[in-house]
Amino acid sequence: MRVTIRSTRKILGPCLVVVLALGGCGEGDTDYLNEHENGENDNDEKDNGENGNGEPPCDVPGLRASGVLDFELETVNVGGEVTVDGKVMPSSGMPGYERAYLRFQDRKTGSNHDVALGESGPADYASTLFTGDYKVYLVPNSHPYQDVLPESLHILNHDVSLREAGVLDFDIKTVDISGEVRLNAETMPSSTTPQYERAHIRFVDRVSGGTSSVSLGGSGAGAYAITLFEGVYDIYFIPNGHNFQDVLPASSLLLKEDVSLSQSGVFDFDLETVDVSGEVTLRGAAMPASSTPSYERAHISFTDRVSGGSLSVTLDGSGEATYAATLFKGRYDIRLVPNGPSFQDVLPASMLLLAEDTSLMRSGVLDFDLETVDVAGEVTLDGAMLPTSSTPSYERAHLYFTDRASGGLVSIPLGGSGTATYEATLFAGDYEVHLQPNGRSYQDVLPLNLHLLLRACD
């Protein structure tokens, strides 16, 4: 048997399917090549080139006999120039580094072929590629290495068919965006550590996923200016951590979503904050001090439901468990995150959801009272006491109590010998309980798979 496959034949799907022993393309597939000699494909209307079963179409019937399988590779020579706003791309002031690369991404295999655009002069390129369909990106170097292009990944063409040699030019459109970020309708205060930036604004291209950022500096007005590729963006505000600035909540904020930037303009933003404080009590009483008071008992995490940004405040190791935080206005999920049992001994070491989708649009007090339950019992095997392992210095298994609301988990060891009893203090809530046996090298009395013991009703 001798089969020659030429890459320009339209019968080629996303991949070459070679089936050994398990079968080919189905009954009667021996005539597949003849039936498709005109280059038509029953699945051409499907963008992903899949058949009705969600699988790539076959190129040839299955291989069930020895033979020769030849492949002919076809290439094209492609060249052109990349211009910026209708003009020759400027030379970079960073000699020795490329301004950018053109990336040809094969739409079937996902593999990339990059072509450098040089550091100076016209951004001409020439390259040899396999014939096929490509997505074309501009991949600029980062700003420490070039100063003539935005540093965001940019899609130039979603689907270009390269079947013959030719010229492929691209003209990149840019926009200049500037503005000021104010805080509670006033000029943003300077940080006490002005050598570090207070924050930066991040523009995320909704098509390519590429990002460009601009700093707001450590002092003076929170003014910014940036050049971007034309496109549609989500705009985020990313404050620096509290070790480096002390004027903003250290939590990311979505400033504007799905913004079309097709011309230069001014975008000002006013950030509004709220002050939230309160006390966390335990079973209606003040939280006890930990026996290791130099470590925090827990921290409270406020997670912005839109941006995903998170800000945490600590509950110290002793004294009343009070807290105070300044947050951007918004909707938050609020969680208690206790320290590990090696660092505190007053709380279950499991994350707890305190409040979900809470609107914080004005300053106020938020107190929380934690309820706990004490759970104890024994794990038996087939109605009898769990046998002692031949390696009793290792745990036979752990019980996992997983809070269904927060995902927090408490793990309780069952020891390597003796009665498999356990006891634990948990936050009140709905749990799934699993048994996780130790590996076979560490115990020989239980199967190895994770086993669901209990699941709270919905």
Side-chain angles (χ1 to χ4, degrees), residues 85-139:
D85 296 320
K87 300 177 182 179
V88 172
M89 185 182 293
S91 296
S92 173
M94 313 292 181
Y97 299 101
E98 309 293 344
R99 289 168 292 192
Y101 295 83
L102 271 187
R103 172 166 294 167
F104 292 84
Q105 184 178 85
D106 190 305
R107 290 182 60 85
K108 292 180 179 179
T109 67
S111 61
N112 297 326
H113 179 93
D114 290 350
V115 187
L117 294 181
E119 64 186 73
S120 62
D124 297 324
Y125 75 95
S127 190
T128 300
L129 301 165
F130 291 120
T131 56
D133 298 320
Y134 289 85
K135 183 181 288 188
V136 187
Y137 295 85
L138 181 76
V139 186

Side-chain angles (χ1 to χ4, degrees), residues 18-47:
V18 180
V19 183
L20 299 177
L22 295 180
C25 301
E27 295 296 328
D29 287 327
T30 53
D31 294 327
Y32 186 91
L33 293 180
N34 293 330
E35 292 171 1
H36 291 74
E37 206 51 52
N38 60 2
E40 293 182 357
N41 187 315
D42 295 336
N43 296 289
D44 275 355
E45 70 276 11
K46 297 180 179 295
D47 290 340

